[in-house]
Amino acid sequence: MKAIVQDRYGAPGDVLRLAEVGLPEVGDEDVLVRVRASSANPWDWHFIRGEPVLLRPAGIGGVRRPKFLIPGGDLAGTVERVGSRVTGFEPGVDVYGFGHGAFAEYVAVPRTRLAPMPAGLSFEQAAAVPLAAVTALQCLRAGGIAPGQHVLVVGASGGVGTFAVQIAKHLGARVSGVCSTPHVDLVQGLGADQVIDYTRDDFTAGTAKYDLVLQLGGTYSPAAIRRVLPPHGTLIQSSGDGGRWLGPVGNMIKAAVLNRFTKPSLKAFTATVTAEALNEIKDLIESGRIIPVIGRTFPLTQAAAAVELVEKGSPPGKVVVVVD
Ligand SMILES: NC(=O)c1ccc[n+]([C@@H]2O[C@H](COP(=O)([O-])OP(=O)(O)OC[C@H]3O[C@@H](n4cnc5c(N)ncnc54)[C@H](OP(=O)(O)O)[C@@H]3O)[C@@H](O)[C@H]2O)c1
């Protein structure tokens, strides 16, 4: 099969190449999916670069070389065959989910990370959903979202943020979003009640308070965000810039430490794509509550460019990789 492979860590454009490789092994609990589309997430460049370096031993990859030779996580495609202990997925069924090695024609995915594809979406649209939408849903839940709350989504125009704005509105919150000038209209169109352009205004210096802040973009420290939280407020910290060694983990550690000495709750958060969450997102899509936003599309041969674009951070929504 055709796949994008890497045998060393580095910049996507330097280390990714198209190759002909064997089909992946399918474990008893796995589903072999013929991938029709994938999408790029910041998760991908973390794995491709092996950063944050301090997390390599904790599972991001091998200490010296990548553990996963084929990058890519999000996927939409068709079940080719299933492992001996898998029930509920039949060959020929369209699915979406998340598994290591999705920048390829076939990927073996644990059944616990797959769900039937939402009806009415193309493969490209469905591939834009899994990690970003599940992260948005789980961040909002972890922050205890409730109807009537004022939620601030920092990074509202991004892959996760575009879903977070829509899901928070669906859950009855008043939503403010933070993004750059070119994306203000988009975020408004997704339902945000107010949009703050970070190139003009610094929300951490304003007087507005928010019951829940999702930090999905920018390098604001937890201490700065604490200023806009009332005592009962919550910060869900999911991004930050601790450089090559710490990456987002730097801010997550700061949030955990500061949380011990402060009234608002400051929580570091990591999402887990599960079949249950994918099914919940499927229902939200099929009932017209949320839609994926796609900023750019690349063919598989240009997967490196897709990941580089996400790393640079210019398009709104998701960057999709079409496999055939
Ligand atoms: N912990 C987890 O499990 C998990 C899972 C998924 C993602 N994440 C993290 O969540 C973050 C968001 O992911 P994503 O896929 O949504 O990334 P993305 O698509 O690159 O979106 C980044 C967002 O940040 C905004 N942004 C950039 N600079 C900003 C600034 N100075 N102030 C405020 N906003 C700024 C961007 O706005 P403009 O485009 O308008 O400039 C965009 O909305 C990433 O850090 C990712 O690593 C964590």
Side-chain angles (χ1 to χ4, degrees), residues 3 18 59 76 83 88 104 107 126 156 165 177 191-192 198 210 246 256 261 264 280 282 288 292 294:
L18 186 71
V107 63
V165 169
Y198 68 76
Y210 307 92
L246 275 177
F261 307 101
E280 201 173 340
K282 174 181 180 307
I294 296 177

Side-chain angles (χ1 to χ4, degrees), residues 51-104:
E51 296 176 11
V53 175
L54 283 180
L55 283 196
R56 284 185 192 176
I60 196 167
V63 172
R64 290 172 183 281
R65 315 171 138 263
K67 185 160 93 188
F68 303 101
L69 298 184
I70 303 176
D74 277 336
L75 64 104
T78 305
V79 173
E80 184 76 12
R81 71 183 166 89
V82 301
S84 60
R85 281 201 245 141
V86 174
T87 54
F89 291 102
E90 301 296 330
V93 169
D94 292 339
V95 291
Y96 81 138
F98 193 83
H100 281 284
F103 289 170

Side-chain angles (χ1 to χ4, degrees), residues 154 215 217-222 224-225 237 239-242 251 254:
V154 184
Q215 200 209 346
T219 54
Y220 314 92
S221 69
I225 294 180
Q237 179 76 55
S239 103
D241 183 14
N251 262 355
K254 282 185 202 160

Side-chain angles (χ1 to χ4, degrees), residues 156-237:
S157 56
V160 180
T162 47
F163 285 112
V165 169
Q166 299 177 79
I167 297 172
K169 281 304 291 179
H170 162 63
L171 295 175
R174 182 153 68 93
V175 179
S176 295
V178 180
C179 65
S180 63
T181 316
H183 302 150
V184 167
D185 289 348
L186 168 83
V187 173
Q188 241 153 15
L190 292 173
D193 300 282
Q194 185 206 5
V195 183
I196 301 166
D197 178 346
Y198 68 76
T199 66
R200 295 179 184 173
D201 295 309
D202 176 0
F203 72 91
T204 65
T207 53
K209 300 275 186 206
Y210 307 92
D211 302 296
L212 170 60
V213 176
L214 303 192
Q215 200 209 346
L216 307 167
T219 54
Y220 314 92
S221 69
I225 294 180
R226 185 178 54 163
R227 291 198 285 269
V228 302
L229 291 169
H232 69 269
T234 302
L235 163 66
I236 297 295
Q237 179 76 55

